Amino acid sequence: MYLRKGSMCPWSPQTPTGFGSESLDFPEVRHIAERQEDTLKPSLPMAGQGALLPQLLSFPVCASCPPAPNVAGAYSKTWSYREDALLALYKKLMEMPVGTPKEDLKNTLRASIFLIRRAIKDIVTSVFQASLKLLKMIITQYIPKHKLSKLETAHCVERTIPILLTRTGDSSARLRVTAANFIQEMALFKEVKSLQIIPSYLVQPLKANSSVHLAMSQMGLLARLLKDLGTGSSGFTTDNVMKFSVSSLEHRVYEVREAAVRIILDMYRQHQASILEYLPPDDSNTRKNILYKTIFEGFAKIDGRPTDAEMRARRKAATEEAEKQKKEEIKALQGQLAALKEIQAEVQEKESDAVKPKNQDIQGGKAAPAEALGIPDEHYPDNLCIFCGERSESFTEEGLDLHYWKHCLMLTRCDHCKQVVEISSLTEHLLTECDKKDWVWKVLPLQRGCFKGRAAQTHKKQGVQPCQTREAGKPMSSVP
């Protein structure tokens, strides 16, 4: 291409530029950034046809000489030129000979990182992926191949990780996932893992004005890398992870707070009691906060202890069971009391029949009033306990039931079937009526054997003839 005399070269530094917002490390790249992109496109050759990148870095700044297409394509407005430029740079770096001077290798690496930083910010997915491919090659192949120091690896990570973390908050879900997956992959590179750089970025407190996608991506990366790297010699410590997680509990986004709770529970599984130092005490005031309640109940599940909800459920079930048993006992006692009332009614009927002849008027043949016999109304048979003979004004229908159940000295409750019986007939009840009578028959010979020797000695001293034992299967009344 020929230029007329006095015309301005399209790559001249005097040409207006659209890339003056970012400082460039190398004069040659600065010269490229200052040219007019619109004038560059007609004369831009295909990527891969330029000179080698080392020649580009030593290319003299000249107003009449065009830049090498490998780098010039990275600044094109056409996304395919930008992608081709990165792929051509990838190829040139792979082909760089081993004996290249260290200084040239370092300069090439730093210039490439500059272009990678710019490409990571690209909104086109293919250009973004090409930049990640180039960065991965530099860290895992270029630096080990030429035996460069860890400082160069640290330079690559520190210059790119902040921009990559920013891309995890992108509005495009595809770019967010790609950036987050690459950060996780890069953190596990053996060349990067020992530097412990990426964990230090992930535990930095979330900014109040950060986007939801960015906060969620950072929480997700932290949780995944904690599982992959742990907290031993990885850059993650109990202190920095817990401080970050506890501060995240105050975030305005609910999903971020939930992610912080999950991280705290994961840390508790590994470190148990040491995690409690970073949390408020477990009391009723703290549990008013639903997040802390969830955390402490999660701790209880991890320890195998019942949670508050489970304890309340158990107490409720126990209370319901006790109420059920109480109702059954009351029902059984009511049945027994009904039988006792029938007996009482029969006795009262007999007594009334016996009192009628005495109470009858000889002349008129009419029954004498109760006052004539000196028997007050309140002391009528309704106020009488037919078992112990006690009279009381409180012995109404309900009062007698209560008296039979708890206070009557002539009645007792069977310890085996809970039935109320007369004390005088308790033995007969145990042997013939009780639901546990089979068990009583089995235990009776054992109890008799324990006291047989002692009873025999006592009878001998007192001159008492020993009683005859009952044969098996015969009731006590058959013993002579």
Side-chain angles (χ1 to χ4, degrees):
M1 182 178 67
Y2 297 95
L3 297 176
R4 292 181 297 172
K5 184 177 181 181
S7 63
M8 183 179 296
C9 177
W11 298 282
S12 172
Q14 300 175 5
T15 305
T17 178
F19 304 93
S21 60
E22 186 174 3
S23 61
L24 307 182
D25 296 337
F26 300 95
E28 295 78 4
V29 179
R30 187 183 305 112
H31 169 71
I32 297 167
E34 292 174 351
R35 91 261 187 267
Q36 181 82 19
E37 285 194 3
D38 291 337
T39 60
L40 175 66
K41 289 167 66 175
S43 60
L44 183 68
M46 291 298 295
Q49 297 177 358
L52 291 174
L53 188 59
Q55 297 176 2
L56 165 67
L57 295 176
S58 60
F59 199 82
V61 179
C62 167
S64 61
C65 299
N70 285 348
V71 178
Y75 284 85
S76 173
K77 286 186 177 180
T78 305
W79 68 267
S80 59
Y81 286 178
R82 299 196 298 270
E83 181 184 8
D84 291 342
L86 294 173
L87 296 178
L89 182 57
Y90 179 95
K91 181 178 179 181
K92 295 301 179 182
L93 291 179
M94 289 290 292
E95 295 174 352
M96 188 160 298
V98 177
T100 306
K102 295 289 185 181
E103 194 64 26
D104 292 343
L105 293 171
K106 292 179 181 180
N107 290 337
T108 303
L109 182 143
R110 292 175 183 268
S112 301
I113 292 299
F114 176 82
L115 295 178
I116 290 172
R117 279 169 52 86
R118 181 182 179 85
I120 289 175
K121 301 176 185 178
D122 205 299
I123 62 174
V124 180
T125 304
S126 59
V127 178
F128 175 69
Q129 291 176 342
S131 67
L132 300 183
K133 178 181 178 181
L134 179 58
L135 177 60
K136 180 179 179 180
M137 185 273 294
I138 291 175
I139 295 175
T140 59
Q141 299 181 42
Y142 181 83
I143 293 177
K145 175 182 177 181
H146 299 286
K147 298 180 180 180
L148 299 180
S149 65
K150 289 185 177 181
L151 293 176
E152 304 306 322
T153 304
H155 172 79
C156 295
V157 177
E158 290 176 347
R159 294 290 289 171
T160 56
I161 191 63
I163 307 176
L164 284 171
L165 285 173
T166 303
R167 294 312 301 269
T168 61
D170 197 275
S171 58
S172 171
R174 184 177 181 183
L175 290 177
R176 288 200 306 270
V177 174
T178 302
N181 290 340
F182 183 80
I183 291 174
Q184 182 180 5
E185 181 183 4
M186 183 167 63
L188 299 178
F189 292 161
K190 62 180 181 180
E191 297 83 4
V192 179
K193 185 177 180 180
S194 60
L195 300 177
Q196 302 181 7
I197 296 176
I198 295 179
S200 63
Y201 279 92
L202 295 180
V203 293
Q204 292 180 1
L206 297 172
K207 296 181 180 179
N209 58 349
S210 61
S211 67
V212 178
H213 294 317
L214 182 60
M216 287 300 300
S217 296
Q218 184 172 344
M219 298 297 293
L221 276 171
L222 176 60
R224 289 186 295 184
L225 287 179
L226 273 174
K227 293 180 181 179
D228 294 336
L229 301 176
T231 55
S233 302
S234 63
F236 291 125
T237 63
T238 303
D239 184 69
N240 60 23
V241 173
M242 284 303 301
K243 286 182 177 178
F244 170 79
S245 301
V246 173
S247 65
S248 299
L249 293 175
E250 306 297 329
H251 198 272
R252 57 187 176 85
V253 180
Y254 173 76
E255 290 78 5
V256 175
R257 299 195 296 268
E258 286 293 307
V261 170
R262 290 193 294 270
I263 291 175
I264 292 174
L265 294 179
D266 289 339
M267 291 292 291
Y268 186 80
R269 289 187 181 92
Q270 301 176 20
H271 303 284
Q272 297 291 329
S274 61
I275 301 301
L276 300 177
E277 300 175 2
Y278 301 91
L279 299 172
D282 184 9
D283 53 26
S284 58
N285 291 330
T286 304
R287 285 181 175 261
K288 291 179 180 179
N289 187 321
I290 187 64
L291 291 177
Y292 286 114
K293 181 180 178 181
T294 303
I295 290 172
F296 288 121
E297 288 187 352
F299 291 168
K301 289 182 179 180
I302 294 172
D303 295 338
R305 296 181 284 109
T307 62
D308 287 348
E310 293 174 347
M311 292 179 66
R312 286 195 297 270
R314 291 181 182 179
R315 286 195 294 266
K316 183 178 179 181
T319 303
E320 292 177 352
E321 184 66 22
E323 289 291 335
K324 184 178 179 181
Q325 291 181 355
K326 185 176 180 180
K327 289 180 179 179
E328 292 177 353
E329 290 181 1
I330 292 175
K331 186 176 180 180
L333 289 173
Q334 287 175 347
Q336 297 170 16
L337 291 174
L340 292 175
K341 286 180 182 180
E342 293 179 0
I343 297 174
Q344 183 182 15
E346 293 177 0
V347 173
Q348 289 176 354
E349 185 178 356
K350 292 179 180 180
E351 289 181 353
S352 61
D353 293 340
V355 170
K356 280 182 179 179
K358 299 179 181 179
N359 211 16
Q360 190 176 12
D361 187 8
I362 300 175
Q363 297 178 355
K366 296 181 180 179
E371 291 80 356
L373 297 176
I375 302 175
D377 293 339
E378 61 272 12
H379 288 165
Y380 238 52
D382 288 343
N383 304 112
L384 173 67
C385 175
I386 63 174
F387 298 103
C388 64
E390 182 180 355
R391 291 181 181 272
S392 175
E393 295 180 358
S394 62
F395 284 178
T396 60
E397 184 177 357
E398 293 80 6
L400 278 174
D401 291 346
L402 182 63
H403 173 73
Y404 293 152
W405 187 10
K406 291 189 175 181
H407 305 297
C408 185
L409 300 177
M410 302 302 292
L411 300 178
T412 186
R413 185 186 300 181
C414 177
D415 294 335
H416 304 290
C417 65
K418 306 301 180 183
Q419 183 176 346
V420 178
V421 297
E422 291 187 77
I423 296 176
S424 59
S425 61
L426 178 61
T427 303
E428 182 180 358
H429 166 76
L430 288 173
L431 297 176
T432 60
E433 299 176 358
C434 182
D435 295 339
K436 304 288 185 178
K437 60 183 178 181
D438 294 337
W439 179 84
V440 173
W441 280 108
K442 292 180 181 179
V443 174
L444 188 61
L446 298 178
Q447 293 179 340
R448 185 169 63 249
C450 293
F451 299 99
K452 184 176 180 181
R454 187 183 303 173
Q457 295 177 2
T458 304
H459 293 165
K460 187 175 181 181
K461 290 180 181 179
Q462 296 178 357
V464 179
Q465 293 295 328
C467 63
Q468 298 181 7
T469 58
R470 178 184 62 84
E471 295 182 6
K474 294 184 177 181
M476 292 294 294
S477 58
S478 63
V479 179

